């Protein structure tokens, strides 16, 4: 990083030899962190109290902080999100009430957030994470876990002479078989390799591909998880020096790489932004001529782009884009400048009125984190969330909440913002979800102490807002969704993609007590599996109306799998 760690330090009382801390809070909002040797630290919390059971504090590597936040995903099928994250050399899963689910030790240091997707179409999500090598070592690892934290057979994959695998795992279905491929960018000192893995851990034919230079961002791929298909045959990945675009076979596209000696890349994971008119690559850079850019798939900058940062300030920002109609209303970036912290442009490169917008932080202010947002349930407002470079004199970081009209007019910080978290929120994200299942938007933030000592800590904070949770109109995490594909469309865009089975089946009632009814218009095979993947019932060649007696099943979440030739549809249902 360009910035000295000294800039990032703040005054926090550290306790030697601490491992996992338990936190409790009193009615005044003071947080007591109980440590192994019986002492405690008192830290003032935000004016908005956190949910019961939070915050929690964990040991941290002496040198490396976590970046880009956590993963929120419903891994146990109960309708609310679990909180999954890495800290030092372990990965953890917690429920929203603060109760512990599991911990699994890692080889290497958790750095970027996990990804979470059902990679083999069995109705049960898997969790994927990379680690970076610890100081003095040179091997990184790639893990896949089941929902209970067990390591998948054939994993972890190890990469020798590799200090870091950049980013989070990127998960997409390249060939429409409902078996997800995983994209891995292996960092090298003089050259890098682009891997694509199948779910069984084998390397996809034609890969890895080798390029000169060091991969420096999480890749993006033209896969739309909502329609579950590849829309653009495109993989975008930046080295420290250039922007690369590949097809799905790993061939570099005409017009790429795009390079400028004064423009460098690291951490600014680009987005693939698709409308019915065209697809562009949106991102940012650092260097002596730092820019925000929109790039055509022929390697030419879009009209009106690139746009320089204010004062040529370096930025590690990952972009955010959004729109309610069939075109994007805004591209949003942040930078290290308290007077011009937030940038919002139209796709033609013109600034939206009121931007760049300041951020009321101490010192330099600004942000290098991930901006997330959610539209109100009536779509009349947009709520925008971000972190900050700065911390206050008490060693607390900032969480910012903004409100605006959908066109970003009347953009303003809310009265209760900024919230406070223990440690710095620099380079992180405000992750959006509903961790307690009450229909209200929850904010989950991972922050950290950066003192360059063995007693540094990572903190996970959980706040609840008054906003009704609107998951269908939300850009809620690093790169938008938990597959980390970075493929984004306006919310009103119809890709005209239909799943081959989705309009041909109906499963009801849901929840169910006695008999589950399944209406099929084409002969199919049926399976009922439980949350662990165990097959409870199996039927071959069912057609038309089919009824299954599920009265003897225990109460819980199950999946109905309907298979016709090579097409599979999975429907979740609840047995009462």
């Amino acid at each position: 990083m360009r910035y000295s760690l000294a800039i990032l330090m703040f005054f926090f009382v550290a306790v030697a030899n601490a491992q996992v801390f338990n936190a409790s809070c009193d009615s005044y909002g003071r947080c007591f962190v109980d440590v192994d040797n019986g002492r405690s630290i008192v830290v003032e919390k935000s004016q908005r109290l956190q949910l019961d059971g939070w915050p929690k504090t964990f040991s941290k590597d002496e040198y490396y902080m976590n970046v880009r936040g956590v993963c929120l995903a419903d891994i146990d099928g109960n309708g609310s999100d679990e909180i999954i994250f890495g800290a030092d050399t372990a990965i953890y899963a917690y429920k929203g009430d603060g109760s512990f689910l599991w911990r699994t030790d890692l080889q290497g240091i958790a750095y970027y957030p996990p990804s979470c997707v059902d990679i083999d179409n069995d109705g049960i999500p898997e969790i994927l994470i990379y680690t970076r090598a610890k100081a003095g070592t040179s091997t990184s690892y790639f893990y896949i876990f089941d929902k209970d934290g067990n390591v998948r057979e054939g994993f972890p994959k190890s990469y020798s002479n590799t200090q870091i695998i950049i980013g989070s795992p990127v998960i997409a279905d390249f060939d429409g078989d409902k078996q997800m491929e995983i994209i891995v960018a292996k960092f090298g000192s003089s050259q890098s390799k682009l891997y694509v893995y199948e779910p069984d851990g084998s390397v996809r034919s034609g890969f890895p591909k080798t390029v000169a230079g060091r991969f420096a961002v999480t890749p993006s791929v033209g896969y739309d998880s909502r329609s579950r298909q590849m829309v653009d045959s495109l993989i975008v990945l930046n080295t420290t020096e250039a922007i690369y675009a590949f097809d799905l076979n790993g061939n570099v596209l005409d017009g790429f790489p795009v390079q400028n000696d004064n423009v460098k890349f690291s951490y600014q994971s680009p987005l693939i932004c698709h409308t019915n008119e065209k697809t562009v690559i949106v991102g940012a850079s650092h260097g002596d001529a730092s820019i925000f850019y929109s790039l055509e798939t022929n390697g030419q900058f879009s009209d009106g782009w690139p746009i320089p940062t204010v004062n040529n300030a370096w930025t590690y920002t990952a972009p955010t884009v959004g729109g309610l109609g069939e075109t994007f209303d805004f591209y949003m970036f942040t930078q290290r400048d308290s007077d011009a912290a937030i940038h919002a442009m139209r796709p033609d490169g013109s600034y939206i009125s009121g931007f760049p917008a300041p951020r009321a932080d101490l010192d330099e202010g600004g942000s290098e984190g991930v901006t997330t947002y959610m539209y109100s349930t009536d779509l009349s407002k947009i709520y925008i969330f971000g972190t900050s470079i700065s911390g206050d004199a008490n060693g607390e970081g900032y969480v910012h909440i903004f409100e605006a009209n959908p066109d970003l007019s009347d953009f303003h910080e809310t009265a209760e913002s900024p919230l406070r978290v223990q440690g710095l929120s620099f380079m992180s994200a405000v992750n959006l979800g509903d961790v307690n299942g009450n229909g209200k938007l929850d904010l989950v933030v991972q922050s950290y102490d950066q003192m360059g000592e063995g007693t540094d800590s990572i903190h996970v904070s959980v706040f609840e807002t008054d906003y009704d949770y609107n998951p269908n109109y939300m850009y809620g995490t690093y790169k938008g969704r938990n597959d980390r594909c970075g493929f984004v469309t306006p919310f009103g865009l119809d890709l005209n993609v239909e799943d081959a089975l989705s309009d041909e089946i109906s499963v009801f009632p849901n929840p169910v007590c006695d008999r589950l009814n399944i209406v099929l218009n084409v002969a199919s095979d049926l399976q009922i599996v439980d949350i662990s993947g165990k097959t409870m019932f199996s039927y071959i060649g069912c057609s038309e109306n089919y009824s299954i007696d599920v009265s003897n099943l225990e109460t819980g979440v199950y999946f109905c799998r309907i298979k016709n030739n090579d097409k599979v549809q999975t429907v979740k249902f609840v047995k009462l």
Side-chain angles (χ1 to χ4, degrees):
M1 293 177 58
R2 177 179 174 128
Y3 311 127
S4 168
L5 289 180
I7 301 174
L8 305 179
M9 292 183 181
F10 65 95
F11 302 102
F12 184 89
V13 181
V15 182
N17 302 318
Q19 295 298 316
V20 177
F21 300 59
N22 293 314
S24 59
C25 304
D26 65 18
S27 59
Y28 297 99
R30 294 177 299 183
C31 179
F32 295 81
V33 184
D34 303 313
V35 297
D36 294 343
N37 61 7
R39 293 184 294 170
S40 64
I41 309 163
V42 180
V43 181
E44 292 294 331
K45 289 179 58 180
S46 166
Q47 61 271 39
R48 175 185 284 277
L49 294 181
Q50 296 191 34
L51 292 183
D52 289 343
W54 302 96
K56 294 185 183 297
T57 300
F58 304 83
S59 61
K60 173 189 166 296
D61 182 79
E62 180 177 356
Y63 300 103
Y64 303 120
M65 74 284 201
N66 292 71
V67 298
R68 303 321 195 199
V70 304
C71 178
L72 303 183
D74 182 9
I75 59 174
D76 62 4
N78 69 346
S80 60
D81 291 323
E82 280 68 54
I83 303 170
I84 311 155
F85 57 92
D88 200 3
T89 56
I91 183 172
Y92 298 84
Y94 278 83
K95 297 185 74 65
D97 62 5
S99 58
F100 172 79
L101 285 177
W102 49 263
R103 163 188 166 150
T104 303
D105 290 331
L106 302 169
Q107 299 182 69
I109 304 162
Y111 191 42
Y112 277 76
S115 305
C116 186
V117 172
D118 177 8
I119 64 175
D120 49 15
N121 199 39
D122 63 355
I124 303 170
E126 282 74 37
I127 300 156
L128 302 87
I129 196 170
Y130 304 143
T131 66
R132 70 176 300 161
K134 290 184 70 68
T137 67
S138 59
T139 302
S140 296
Y141 295 87
F142 167 34
Y143 284 86
I144 299 180
F145 303 92
D146 66 18
K147 68 179 185 64
D148 298 313
N150 302 306
V151 180
R152 192 181 186 92
E153 184 177 355
F155 288 84
K157 302 292 183 185
S158 62
Y159 302 87
S160 59
N161 300 315
T162 302
Q163 185 66 27
I164 182 173
I165 306 173
I166 287 293
S168 298
V170 178
I171 308 159
D173 184 0
F174 277 37
D175 41 27
D177 62 357
K178 307 297 172 65
Q179 303 293 302
M180 309 296 278
E181 281 73 36
I182 303 111
I183 302 172
V184 178
K186 177 181 175 292
F187 181 96
S189 58
S190 60
Q191 65 179 23
S192 299
K193 290 188 177 181
L194 176 66
Y195 288 84
V196 178
Y197 286 98
E198 304 292 355
D200 63 3
S202 61
V203 178
R204 184 177 175 84
S205 176
F207 289 89
K209 297 292 184 180
T210 302
V211 301
R214 293 169 289 172
F215 286 147
V217 301
T218 301
S220 291
V221 61
Y223 177 75
D224 181 64
S225 59
R226 299 189 180 199
S227 62
R228 295 190 298 174
Q229 82 152 16
M230 193 67 64
V231 178
D232 289 303
S233 178
L234 179 64
I235 303 171
V236 179
L237 181 56
N238 299 351
T239 68
T240 52
E241 307 294 330
I243 304 170
Y244 278 84
F246 307 87
D247 65 20
L248 298 187
N249 295 314
N251 302 306
V252 178
L253 299 185
D254 291 343
F256 291 88
V258 176
Q259 186 172 4
N260 182 311
D261 290 341
N262 293 318
V263 174
K264 309 297 181 184
F265 302 95
S266 56
Y267 296 103
Q268 314 96 343
S269 300
L271 297 177
I272 298 173
C273 301
H274 176 87
T275 67
N276 285 329
E277 295 181 353
K278 63 179 179 179
T279 297
V280 297
I281 302 162
V282 174
S285 78
H286 61 264
D288 295 333
S290 300
I291 59 172
F292 308 121
Y293 64 83
S294 172
L295 194 66
E296 308 288 325
T297 54
N298 62 4
Q300 300 297 311
F301 287 111
S302 305
D303 291 344
W305 300 84
I307 297 170
T309 62
V310 171
N311 298 321
N312 287 323
W314 281 42
T315 179
Y316 296 119
T317 183
T320 301
V321 301
L324 282 175
E326 295 187 349
T327 59
F328 289 103
D329 297 326
F330 63 85
Y331 299 161
M332 184 172 287
F333 308 87
T334 59
Q335 74 165 77
R336 188 186 177 87
D337 191 309
S338 58
D339 293 324
I342 307 170
H343 297 253
M345 301 84 154
R346 300 177 185 88
D348 65 6
S350 61
Y351 268 96
I352 294 172
S353 178
F355 292 90
R359 177 172 288 175
D361 294 342
L362 299 177
D363 303 321
E364 295 179 74
S367 175
E368 303 290 5
V370 177
T371 302
T372 55
Y373 67 84
M374 184 190 75
Y375 290 94
S376 62
T377 52
D378 64 1
L379 306 183
S380 67
K381 294 290 183 182
I382 184 171
Y383 310 115
I384 298 170
F385 308 89
T387 59
S388 175
I389 284 177
S390 301
D392 64 18
N394 296 320
E396 293 185 327
Y398 298 108
V399 173
H400 293 274
I401 305 175
F402 302 92
E403 184 177 300
N405 297 321
D407 63 359
L408 296 187
S409 62
D410 191 28
F411 180 88
H412 61 276
E413 194 155 4
T414 63
E416 64 183 351
S417 179
L419 307 179
R420 300 290 201 278
V421 293
Q422 294 171 218
L424 291 171
S425 59
F426 175 75
M427 294 284 285
S428 192
V430 182
N431 301 272
L432 311 182
D434 181 7
V435 301
N436 55 4
N438 69 347
K440 294 295 184 181
L441 176 67
D442 300 320
L443 314 179
V444 183
V445 184
Q446 190 174 46
S447 54
Y448 60 91
D449 306 335
Q450 184 70 58
M451 300 174 67
E453 299 178 3
T455 53
D456 288 353
S457 300
I458 287 171
H459 314 281
V460 179
S461 300
V462 184
F463 302 90
E464 184 157 279
T465 73
D466 298 324
Y467 306 135
D468 291 333
Y469 182 49
N470 191 12
N472 294 323
Y473 286 82
M474 183 177 72
Y475 185 98
T477 188
Y478 173 52
K479 300 190 72 181
R481 291 190 285 273
N482 285 335
D483 58 19
R484 315 295 181 190
C485 285
F487 180 85
V488 187
T489 63
F491 284 106
L493 184 70
D494 182 4
L495 291 174
N496 298 315
V497 178
E498 297 181 357
D499 186 89
L501 287 176
S502 61
D503 289 339
E504 299 174 353
I505 67 170
S506 178
V507 178
F508 64 93
N510 189 10
V512 60
C513 292
D514 300 315
R515 302 199 72 85
L516 186 70
N517 301 304
I518 304 168
V519 177
L520 303 167
N521 291 331
V522 61
S524 303
D525 299 336
L526 301 180
Q527 277 185 318
I528 303 296
V529 300
D530 66 11
I531 190 68
S532 70
K534 178 182 177 181
T535 299
M536 313 304 293
F537 303 107
S538 183
Y539 306 91
I540 305 297
C542 304
S543 62
E544 296 183 349
N545 297 336
Y546 208 80
S547 181
I548 301 175
D549 183 2
V550 295
S551 59
N552 290 328
L553 292 180
E554 294 183 359
T555 299
V557 175
Y558 295 86
F559 300 91
C560 179
R561 301 187 68 209
I562 303 101
K563 183 177 182 181
N564 174 254
N565 296 323
D566 61 346
K567 300 178 178 64
V568 178
Q569 179 79 10
T570 302
V571 179
K572 181 169 69 174
F573 67 92
V574 177
K575 167 61 172 63
L576 298 178

